[in-house]
Amino acid sequence: LQKILILLHITTCVVIGKTLMILFPNAMKRYILKQGEKSRMNENPKFSYENWGPTFFSFKYLLFVLKVKWKRLEDEAYEGHPAPNTPVVTFSGEVHHLLDFMQGSRPLVLNFGSCT
């Protein structure tokens, strides 16, 4: 039931977004660029709006968002319960699961970061 609700919600958003992009391209470009500021996508001069803006509200965008949202349904973590065994991708592109990196009874430490 949750997957169906997510499908309906995301599909509706994509249809509305695509329609608005067709009817009001300049306004939607400003809106998408504003959203890009939040994620700091606009700060890279080699990564212009023309590279990523038109992909918003495409069929690939719909499939990607659905995949992410559906995977997150499985990734809920609760205090005192086992950690979810989420999929992770190595730099070489191999897909593993988080708990594959456990070694015996040693604690598994995750360090998150980013580079710009």
Side-chain angles (χ1 to χ4, degrees), residues 1 6 19 22-23 32 35 37 49 58 75 78-79 82 85 89 92 94 96 98 105-106:
L1 181 62
I6 290 171
T19 303
I22 293 168
L23 296 175
I32 292 171
Q35 297 303 310
E37 287 174 10
Y49 172 81
S58 66
D75 293 345
Y78 301 98
E79 187 175 342
N85 195 16
V89 180
S92 61
E94 297 175 67
H96 295 278
L98 188 62
S105 61
R106 295 178 57 189

Side-chain angles (χ1 to χ4, degrees), residues 4-18 57 62 65-66:
I4 292 171
L5 291 174
I6 290 171
L7 172 66
L8 291 174
H9 178 256
I10 300 302
T11 303
T12 302
C13 291
V14 168
V15 168
I16 291 170
K18 189 65 161 179
F57 309 117
L62 170 72
V65 173
L66 284 175

Side-chain angles (χ1 to χ4, degrees), residues 13 15 34 43 46 48-49 53 55 60 70-72 76-77 81-82 88 90 94 98-99 102-103 105:
C13 291
V15 168
K34 192 76 162 171
E43 293 181 12
K46 295 181 181 177
S48 68
Y49 172 81
T55 65
K60 280 186 174 184
W70 286 347
K71 285 232 180 257
R72 287 188 180 163
E76 294 185 35
H81 290 82
V88 292
T90 65
E94 297 175 67
L98 188 62
L99 298 180
M102 291 289 296
Q103 295 179 359
S105 61

